Structure formats: structure tokens, C-alpha cells
Amino acid sequence: GKIHRRSVSFNFDPASSLDMRANLEGLSQCSLALASTPNGSRLLQLAMEANGVSDSVRVQLIDQLRGHAWEAAGSPHGNHVLQKLIASVPPQRLQFIIEELAGRAAEAAEHQKRCRILERLLEHCPGSMTARLVEELLPKASWLARHPFGNFVVQHILEHGSPEHRQRMVITLCEDAGRLARHRIASNVVRAALIHSQSQDRAELVQALAPNHQELLNLGKHKIGSF
């Protein structure tokens, strides 16, 4: 039957741990179906937020999503469940999501919903875990910097990536810095690189943006590049 919003608070009465365990077990058996609906998604998110729920139970709660993380990441409702999980449990419990995105990271970065999963992984997982995904994205950094969704993923790499990946991202941006700085979307990426890069990398980016005084003046006069 339908999942009604008014049933949410009733299902998670903290006064009854026995009822909670039973409810969580029931939810885990249909989490894949729940994650695909608005109220079901919210119900799973509330379950992960409930007091007394351990990390292992949170992971078990969405165990049905294993093997379906790509599908859930692209769902308008399932992606919120994955985002909640990523923000709620230790990174080592998220390897299955990374494995399912691997090989399609660039495609995920260009997707309106899946890009958010990449962003949360970059925020909450160490660089050693996300390295495989970032390595797929680096060769396409210039294109992604211009993309309406991919640019946010590139900005997250610049802010949350490992020092090596941040440096390599800046080097890639330097190759086309002048045009990127004048692009209505990519200019935000260049700004993020200037904010989050190390001093030496920042200096190289500045040099690429304005190799001489005249280029600096031209950039300053541009309606977008003047940032």
C-alpha cells in the first residue's frame, strides 16, 4: 500500500526499542522499493536519523540497494537516501557505492542527481577511497568545468580532494585558464581553484590567467572574467 507521511513519527517511537527493531527490520526488507518513492525515501532517511540506530544498522537498512547504487543515485528520491547514508556512517562502509560508480564517474558527474553522490563522497571519504573516481574525472576536467552539473564536482575536488589531485586539477585548468575564466559556469571553478589551491599552484594559475599586464586588463574588463 501507499506510505503516508503521517505514519512516519508513529513508526519511530523512541520509547519502544523492540518496536523500533521490528520496524527497521521491516524497512530493510523493502528499502529498494521505498527509496524510489517520495515518502519511502523520507521514511528511510528518518530511520537513519533515529536515536539509538547504529552505523551497522544504518547500512543494513539499505542493504537492498547494494548492486543498485547507480540506479538509486539517479533517482529523484533514492539519491537522497544515499546522501543521508554517506553523511551518517564511517567511510569504510561506503565502498559499495564507490565501486558501483567506478568506470562511470564522468557520466555521473554530468547527471543532475548522481553528481550529488560524487559530491557527498568527496566531502566525507578520504582521498584514498575516492582516488579511483577522481582519476576518471581529471582527464575531462576542462569539459566538466563548463558543465552545469559537472562543475560542482570539480569544485568539490578542488576543495576536498587529496593534495595531489587538487594540484593536478589546477594544472589541468591552467591549460585553458583564460577561456575558463570567461565562461559563465567555468568561472566558478576557476574561482574555487584560486580559493582552495596551495600558494604555488595558485601562483601558476594566476600566471596562466594573466601572463602579462595587458591580459590582466582584458580579463578585468570582461563581464564574467572580472571576478
Side-chain angles (χ1 to χ4, degrees), residues 68-189:
H68 301 279
W70 177 263
E71 174 187 349
S75 164
H77 313 299
N79 86 90
H80 292 292
V81 175
L82 289 182
Q83 288 188 69
K84 177 62 71 174
L85 180 70
I86 293 168
S88 302
V89 304
Q92 61 266 27
R93 296 184 179 273
L94 304 171
Q95 188 62 41
F96 77 97
I97 302 176
I98 293 175
E99 290 175 357
E100 292 189 44
L101 295 182
R104 296 190 282 185
E107 182 182 349
E110 295 175 2
H111 191 275
Q112 184 180 17
K113 302 298 189 297
R114 294 187 179 102
C115 69
R116 301 172 186 173
I117 304 305
L118 288 173
E119 291 164 22
R120 299 295 87 74
L121 290 170
L122 288 163
E123 289 172 359
H124 295 280
C125 296
S128 58
M129 282 187 66
T130 58
R132 183 177 177 184
L133 301 176
V134 176
E135 287 292 337
E136 293 180 33
L137 298 171
L138 280 169
K140 300 183 178 181
S142 183
W143 162 254
L144 290 173
R146 298 173 168 89
H147 193 275
F149 307 129
N151 84 91
F152 294 110
V153 178
V154 176
Q155 290 186 59
H156 271 67
I157 294 173
L158 289 165
E159 182 175 358
H160 302 285
S162 68
E164 177 192 354
H165 284 144
R166 282 185 284 155
Q167 181 182 50
R168 289 170 60 190
M169 182 63 75
V170 172
I171 291 172
T172 300
L173 296 176
C174 283
E175 296 173 0
D176 197 21
R179 285 193 292 181
L180 292 175
R182 292 168 170 81
H183 190 276
R184 65 180 182 85
I185 294 175
S187 60
N188 296 302
V189 173

Side-chain angles (χ1 to χ4, degrees), residues 3-4 6-13 19-20 23 27 43:
I3 303 165
H4 295 286
R6 63 176 178 271
S7 70
V8 171
S9 59
F10 170 81
N11 284 337
F12 293 100
D13 181 1
D19 286 348
M20 178 178 285
N23 283 325
L27 289 178
L43 186 60

Side-chain angles (χ1 to χ4, degrees), residues 25-35 44 61 64:
E25 182 178 350
L27 289 178
S28 68
Q29 294 174 2
C30 56
S31 57
L32 182 60
L34 289 173
L44 290 172
L61 185 62
Q64 280 196 348

